[in-house]
Amino acid sequence: MATAPALPVMNALISPPTDAETLEMFIPPDELSIEINEFVKTHHVAQILRKNPAFIETRPHLKIPEAARSHNLSGGTLAGPGKIWVPPLTFLEKGGKSSVTIAYLGKDLCGHPGIIHGGLLATILDEGMARCCFAALPNKVGMTANLTLNYKIPLLADSYVCMRATTTKVEGRKAWVEGKIESLVGEGETPVVHVEASALFIEPRQAALRPPAAEIMSKPSKYLLVSLPTSISPSNEHDEALTALRSAVTTDYGTVVSFPIPEFKVGTLDALVQQADELAKLEGACEGLVAKVGESLVTILEKDEGKVLEQKKVSDKEVDQYLRTFNWNKVKYRADKPLGDLIDTLQKEVASIDNDVKSKYNQYNQVKTNLTVLQRKQTGNLSNKSLTSIVPPSVIVQDSEYLDTHLLAIPNTQAKDFLKSYETISSWIVPRSAQLIDSDDEFHLYAVTTFKKYSTEFIHKAREQKWIPRDYKFKKGGEEEERKEIEKAGKEEKKLWGEALRLCSTGWGEAVMAWVHVLALRVFVETVLRYGLPLQFVCGLIKTNPKLSKKVRNSLDQSYSYLGGNAFGRDKKGRVTKDDSSMSADMQAAGHTGDGGDYSAYVCYEFEIK
């Protein structure tokens, strides 16, 4: 019992809130907290970083489970009105390159009266600089090896501060970081630096040996849905039959819980055989859909297993909990309807989920691709980046009937040869018209003027020289237009990311629900075909793992192979022995096989939900 309170904490550590979710979690307790929180969120430093796609906005202390927060120094003990008044707002540059944190420090954090304690500033720097470099380390974790501080000017209490950190060097498991705490000032004002720091963080060797918590918790489980006649127990009663099933499996191989299945309206034998075939195909479609939506979640959440697991819920329950407490959903799938109608309903639902998720996911991918292209234009080299902010209007010949200006990206190694030869590669090039506009590590950007009549020839000859012509037309206000286009695309991408995530998460849960209901129908139909009417059966859900599933089947075979006579016996290698080949063919045609085409003397379906 003493360990029970730790379970919610453990779950929260394994599946913490997303960065976006932390921004919505804090509820200011009073008017002053509301004012401080609003100032932090709307300050021009925050607004500038929020627009930069290279930074991730988060409130990292809110990722600490609430039950454990009171035991955390900066996230609990020192947090709250009068102290670290609101959860600090942090912007982390991707790849562990830099970080910026904005906070408000109250009067209850003083050493000398009215002056913030230097130890607190050291703590803020230590945590902030560590958080800055973690993403640059191989396993995203590190410990402080040394921390050097240089206190410049005392910091008064009740002040807004800005902590800035930059990762200066990374070598294997080591990361060097420099940081400072400065005053948070208005736009255009010069901040006052209160503390400067440098630190070395080292990732523990054990970090590479230990799998992430999410990986530990996501070890695959395998489930078996087993149906047996109640005649396996002397009393022919349901509860005693379930006890017999549990005894056959034993806790060494897995756990067994009751899996209640309603009694549906049964049609003719021919209809049941056809429905068994339809359900087998539908189950395959459900399994494929669950896998497909799961892959979409992995892509949307950038392969973060912890966050993916957090999204994989069925009716707000973990998959295992949903299965172990399964009850037929009589609202979505009315049990009083004929089996054919239920199958039709499930087929339509699976197709609808597939279409909805595919449509939204493709829409998100298209917008994301567009945003990536726009961002790449801002960060590439002179051969491919946008020239709007680089090329001054004065170098472009405009509104001329006879002349054209061409922009060429020349590899640095060819710059001298270009200046010697550009006038001679084609006809009617304006002499000495080459102007150097800009250069970077790979290219020089030149403007060359030619007569319009010979522009095509010049471009063709330039390509032959491996010079890269840049297509550019001056447009007044183009730079501002590009900025707005990127901003608009970023907002659209963020909006669609949220919509795609919600739809994939919901779709995954609904697909699993449909799959489990299809399995329940398969068990019912197979039970009727196998054991006949009137229905007297027990259905159990066995939870095991892929390694032990064969032992579970062997144990069930040893206990219940008599139900199928010789036709369903197994040899020592687990293969079916069929004494009556004609009977075996009939059973196979009727769908009386387990997974992989194996015969079994009882109804059994194996599945894994990943």
Side-chain angles (χ1 to χ4, degrees):
M1 293 298 291
T3 60
L7 293 177
V9 176
M10 195 64 186
N11 288 334
L13 283 169
I14 292 164
S15 301
T18 64
D19 292 310
E21 287 171 344
T22 63
L23 302 178
E24 308 296 330
M25 290 173 64
F26 175 64
I27 301 174
D30 51 50
E31 289 186 7
L32 185 53
S33 298
I34 293 173
E35 181 184 330
I36 293 171
N37 190 52
E38 195 63 24
F39 185 87
V40 168
K41 289 165 59 178
T42 60
H43 192 271
H44 80 275
V45 170
Q47 291 181 16
I48 291 170
L49 293 169
R50 195 173 288 129
K51 292 175 183 177
N52 190 334
F55 283 84
I56 298 168
E57 184 178 4
T58 183
R59 275 185 148 152
H61 294 92
L62 297 185
K63 290 193 173 189
I64 302 168
E66 191 171 355
R69 216 171 287 158
S70 60
H71 305 295
N72 183 273
L73 182 62
S74 56
T77 307
L78 300 177
K83 296 179 279 188
I84 302 176
W85 209 295
V86 301
L89 188 64
T90 297
F91 294 85
L92 297 169
E93 188 174 5
K94 295 175 183 178
K97 296 177 182 177
S98 69
S99 72
V100 178
T101 296
I102 302 172
Y104 183 83
L105 306 181
K107 61 184 177 182
D108 295 340
L109 300 172
C110 295
H112 296 288
I115 297 176
I116 296 297
H117 197 294
L120 173 73
L121 301 180
T123 299
I124 293 173
L125 281 162
D126 183 34
E127 289 189 0
M129 293 163 71
R131 195 173 287 117
C132 169
C133 72
F134 278 178
L137 292 170
N139 293 285
K140 318 305 179 193
V141 66
M143 300 180 73
T144 310
N146 63 57
L147 175 65
T148 302
L149 298 162
N150 183 14
Y151 292 94
K152 311 283 282 187
I153 298 174
L155 175 64
L156 298 179
D158 288 326
S159 295
Y160 291 97
V161 295
C162 180
M163 195 285 294
R164 297 181 182 272
T166 303
T167 303
T168 57
K169 185 170 71 169
V170 179
E171 289 182 359
R173 296 184 298 110
K174 297 180 179 180
W176 285 262
V177 186
E178 292 181 356
K180 60 183 177 181
I181 291 177
E182 61 187 24
S183 57
L184 188 67
V185 296
E187 195 167 2
E189 297 179 12
T190 303
V192 175
V193 177
H194 296 278
V195 192
E196 292 177 339
S198 59
L200 168 63
F201 297 93
I202 301 178
E203 181 179 277
R205 285 190 176 88
Q206 299 88 335
L209 304 176
R210 296 181 61 189
E215 183 181 324
I216 295 169
M217 295 300 289
S218 63
K219 286 183 178 178
S221 295
K222 192 161 191 175
Y223 296 93
L224 292 82
L225 262 182
V226 177
S227 171
L228 294 160
T230 53
S231 60
I232 62 171
S233 67
S235 66
N236 203 34
E237 291 183 354
H238 177 279
D239 291 346
E240 191 172 334
L242 184 62
T243 301
L245 174 58
R246 287 183 174 132
S247 299
V249 174
T250 75
T251 54
D252 292 336
Y253 298 152
T255 57
V256 182
V257 295
S258 177
F259 193 87
I261 298 177
E263 288 195 21
F264 302 100
K265 291 182 179 180
V266 178
T268 63
L269 179 62
D270 287 344
L272 283 172
V273 172
Q274 183 179 350
Q275 287 160 357
D277 185 50
E278 290 175 357
L279 286 167
K281 294 176 182 176
L282 183 53
E283 189 203 339
C286 289
E287 184 176 3
L289 178 59
V290 169
K292 190 194 303 183
V293 179
E295 288 172 4
S296 298
L297 277 172
V298 169
T299 302
I300 289 170
L301 294 170
E302 299 178 341
K303 300 182 181 180
D304 189 321
E305 278 295 323
K307 292 178 181 177
V308 171
L309 283 173
E310 184 182 348
Q311 297 297 325
K312 289 185 173 181
K313 301 284 177 67
V314 187
S315 294
D316 294 325
K317 297 179 181 178
E318 302 289 343
V319 173
D320 184 66
Q321 184 187 3
Y322 172 76
L323 290 170
R324 296 171 75 84
T325 59
F326 174 80
N327 276 298
W328 185 269
N329 190 329
K330 295 180 181 178
V331 177
K332 291 185 74 171
Y333 319 108
R334 288 177 52 185
D336 59 346
K337 284 189 173 184
L339 282 172
D341 289 355
L342 288 171
I343 294 171
D344 186 56
T345 298
L346 283 160
Q347 286 173 335
K348 289 178 179 176
E349 182 181 10
V350 169
S352 176
I353 294 169
D354 189 16
N355 290 333
D356 291 346
V357 171
K358 187 190 299 180
S359 175
K360 183 60 69 176
Y361 181 69
N362 288 342
Q363 187 182 0
Y364 164 68
N365 263 344
Q366 184 177 351
V367 171
K368 184 181 179 183
T369 301
N370 292 341
L371 177 62
T372 302
V373 170
L374 289 171
Q375 291 172 339
R376 193 173 294 147
K377 286 182 178 179
Q378 304 300 314
T379 57
N381 58 43
L382 288 170
S383 69
N384 53 36
K385 73 186 298 184
S386 171
L387 302 179
T388 306
S389 62
I390 297 173
V391 179
S394 58
V395 305
I396 304 294
V397 177
Q398 301 179 51
D399 304 323
S400 171
E401 187 177 348
Y402 302 105
L403 298 177
D404 235 346
T405 302
H406 302 282
L407 299 177
L408 299 170
I410 311 298
N412 290 345
T413 54
Q414 299 183 35
K416 290 183 179 179
D417 291 338
F418 163 78
L419 291 173
K420 292 177 182 178
S421 62
Y422 79 93
E423 296 177 355
T424 61
I425 65 170
S426 74
S427 307
W428 296 96
I429 298 171
V430 177
R432 300 182 183 180
S433 62
Q435 294 184 58
L436 178 63
I437 298 172
D438 198 6
S439 62
D440 59 24
D441 293 340
E442 299 177 64
F443 294 91
H444 283 55
L445 182 68
Y446 281 95
V448 176
T449 304
T450 69
F451 279 77
K452 279 189 177 180
K453 185 177 180 180
Y454 297 93
S455 289
T456 303
E457 179 189 348
F458 175 76
I459 293 296
H460 177 70
K461 294 294 184 180
R463 287 198 173 102
E464 288 183 351
Q465 298 294 322
K466 300 193 183 304
W467 304 337
I468 302 172
R470 296 300 315 275
D471 187 18
Y472 174 77
K473 297 292 181 185
F474 172 74
K475 184 177 181 181
K476 190 174 182 180
E479 188 174 354
E480 178 65 15
E481 189 176 306
E482 270 192 6
R483 187 191 65 76
K484 287 182 177 179
E485 187 180 7
I486 293 173
E487 187 176 326
K488 181 181 177 182
K491 288 180 179 177
E492 183 68 11
E493 189 268 346
K494 190 174 182 180
K495 174 176 169 285
L496 284 173
W497 179 87
E499 291 177 0
L501 177 61
R502 284 191 293 273
L503 193 58
C504 284
S505 179
T506 304
W508 190 87
E510 290 179 349
V512 170
M513 182 186 293
W515 184 8
V516 175
H517 280 76
V518 169
L519 281 165
L521 285 177
R522 286 199 76 184
V523 169
F524 177 83
V525 170
E526 182 72 9
T527 297
V528 175
L529 290 171
R530 185 72 64 89
Y531 307 138
L533 297 171
L535 282 171
Q536 291 182 314
F537 72 100
V538 60
C539 182
L541 175 74
I542 303 172
K543 179 185 178 183
T544 181
N545 61 53
K547 289 184 179 180
L548 293 176
S549 61
K550 288 185 179 180
K551 292 185 177 180
V552 172
R553 291 299 295 265
N554 289 337
S555 181
L556 291 171
D557 289 342
Q558 290 174 13
S559 299
Y560 303 118
S561 60
Y562 69 88
L563 292 172
N566 291 332
F568 294 100
R570 291 175 183 261
D571 61 19
K572 291 182 180 179
K573 294 184 178 180
R575 296 175 303 203
V576 175
T577 58
K578 303 179 277 289
D579 293 346
D580 188 336
S581 58
S582 62
M583 178 182 176
S584 300
D586 291 341
M587 297 297 282
Q588 187 175 14
H592 292 232
T593 60
D595 293 331
D598 287 344
Y599 294 111
S600 60
Y602 45 88
V603 178
C604 180
Y605 293 103
E606 300 182 22
F607 63 99
E608 291 181 61
I609 300 178
K610 299 178 181 178

